Amino acid sequence: MMNKNIKHMAGSFALVACLLALNGASYSQEPADAAAVEREKRAVTFTMAFTAYYANWAPVWKKFHQKAPVYIEGDYSLPKGSFMYGPSVSVTINRWQIAGNFLYGEIEGTLLAYNYPYMLGGPPVIFPYRVSLKSKKYDCDLLVSYQINSLFKFFFGPKYQGYQYRKRTFELIISESQEDIEYNSGGMGAGIGCSLPITGDLYLLMNFSGIVLVGSQKGSEDNGDRTSVAYGGNEIVTLAYHIRPIHATIAVGGRLQYLYFHITPHRYYPSKHDIFYGINMSAAVSF
C-alpha cells in the first residue's frame, strides 16, 4: 500500500510540474484585486488545473451489523490515507465562470469478524469471517459561479458521486465468494467562496458549500436495489501563491466532505455518517 501511494504521489507531482512549465500566452486566474486587472485586459479566460487529494475516509459502510440469517458485527479497517486525483477545466467570461471538476481514487477496506449461525437444537458454532472490499471512487461536478466582488463569489451546480466495489468474502478460511457492487448518486450543490489577499502574491482561499445527493446501490446482498438519500457539505481552505513569471497558481490546504445519510445505501450499515478529510494540492494555468 505504501509503494502504491508513493507511486501516486510521484505521478501527481510530475503532472503538477508539467502544468507549471506551461507559459507563453497564459496568465493566472488570480483571485482578489489582481484578477480584476487581468480580466480588464481579457474578457474570456480558459483555465486548466490538476488536483491531488490525500484523503482519509470514514465511509458510511465502516460499521457492519447483520442479524439474520447469521449474526455478524464488526468495523472495516481502512488505510490512514489514499490519493485521489484528477483534472479540471473552466472558462471565465467577465464575472461568470463554468467549471468541470473530476476526481478518482482507489481505497480498500478489510473486515475481520465472526459468524454466529442460528442452529436450533444444536451447539453454538462460531466461524471466522473476513471481507475485503476494494473501492473505486468517482467524483465530478459542473459548477457555475458568479464573482460578486473582488473577495466573494457564489457558485452552484450538479454533482455526481459513484463507487464500484469488488467484495471478496472468506469464511472458514477455505470458503471464498466474490461480488461486484455499484453505487451511483447525483444531486445539487451550492456555496460561497472567498479570496483574501495576505501579502504580495499570497492568498487565503476558502470555499464552503452544501450538497444533497440521491443514490442507488445495485448488486448487493441487501435484497435487491436500494435508494439512499444524503446531505452535507464541502469545505476547502487553502493558501494559494501566484507565480507571475510563468502565469501559474499553486495551492495547498485542507479539504473536508461530510455526508449524513438520511437513508443509508445498505440495511446492514448502522452508521449514518460518511467523512472525507485530508490535504488538497492543486496547480493551475490560464490562457
Side-chain angles (χ1 to χ4, degrees):
M1 181 62 70
M2 180 64 69
N3 291 334
K4 188 176 182 180
N5 284 340
I6 291 174
K7 290 179 181 178
H8 285 170
M9 182 180 291
S12 300
F13 282 107
L15 185 50
V16 168
C18 291
L19 284 173
L20 293 180
L22 296 176
N23 49 25
S26 65
Y27 71 96
S28 171
Q29 184 186 340
E30 189 180 352
D33 295 340
V37 175
E38 296 283 5
R39 290 194 187 98
E40 288 177 2
K41 299 178 182 178
R42 201 166 192 173
V44 180
T45 303
F46 295 94
T47 302
M48 298 173 56
F50 178 80
T51 297
Y53 181 29
Y54 189 70
N56 294 279
W57 187 20
V60 68
W61 47 264
K62 182 175 176 59
K63 296 182 180 294
F64 187 86
H65 182 82
Q66 178 179 331
K67 295 182 178 180
V70 294
Y71 182 90
I72 307 170
E73 184 175 13
D75 290 358
Y76 279 90
S77 61
L78 287 93
K80 293 297 183 181
S82 300
F83 267 104
M84 296 184 65
Y85 41 81
S88 65
V89 294
S90 67
V91 57
T92 303
I93 304 175
N94 295 322
R95 291 178 177 267
W96 290 93
Q97 182 186 73
I98 299 177
N101 308 287
F102 177 78
L103 281 175
Y104 169 82
E106 297 183 7
I107 304 173
E108 181 175 359
T110 302
L111 169 67
L112 297 175
Y114 293 93
N115 277 357
Y116 300 87
Y118 296 104
M119 301 182 66
L120 297 177
V125 179
I126 299 176
F127 299 126
Y129 181 86
R130 181 168 70 91
V131 177
S132 173
L133 193 62
K134 293 184 178 180
S135 170
K136 295 181 180 180
K137 175 179 170 63
Y138 306 88
D139 192 308
C140 61
D141 53 56
L142 181 65
L143 294 178
V144 177
S145 63
Y146 177 76
Q147 193 73 36
I148 301 172
N149 53 38
S150 61
L151 297 180
F152 296 98
K153 67 177 180 179
F154 170 77
F155 56 88
F156 62 93
K159 181 179 180 63
Y160 166 80
Q161 189 167 276
Y163 299 88
Q164 289 181 344
Y165 299 106
R166 174 149 293 181
K167 181 178 180 180
R168 298 179 65 189
T169 303
F170 305 86
E171 297 182 79
L172 293 175
I173 303 176
I174 59 174
S175 176
E176 178 182 344
S177 62
Q178 182 171 297
E179 180 184 18
D180 291 328
I181 305 170
E182 182 176 328
Y183 178 77
N184 297 285
S185 65
M188 292 291 294
I192 190 167
C194 179
S195 304
L196 298 176
I198 298 178
T199 179
D201 295 322
L202 183 66
Y203 299 86
L204 176 65
L205 308 181
M206 296 177 288
N207 289 313
F208 303 94
S209 63
I211 53 176
V212 177
L213 296 173
V214 177
S216 64
Q217 181 162 287
K218 300 180 180 180
S220 74
E221 73 279 15
D222 191 22
N223 293 336
D225 303 345
R226 182 179 177 91
T227 299
S228 66
V229 178
Y231 48 87
N234 278 287
E235 291 79 35
I236 304 177
V237 178
T238 60
L239 287 174
Y241 183 73
H242 176 47
I243 307 174
R244 292 184 179 274
I246 58 176
H247 308 287
T249 300
I250 58 175
V252 178
R255 180 174 184 171
L256 166 69
Q257 175 183 283
Y258 171 77
L259 290 176
Y260 176 82
F261 278 81
H262 179 68
I263 301 176
T264 63
H266 197 292
R267 64 173 176 170
Y268 298 145
Y269 301 155
S271 176
K272 296 282 189 177
H273 312 284
D274 190 284
I275 306 172
F276 268 98
Y277 62 95
I279 300 173
N280 196 76
M281 302 168 285
S282 64
V285 292
S286 300
F287 53 92

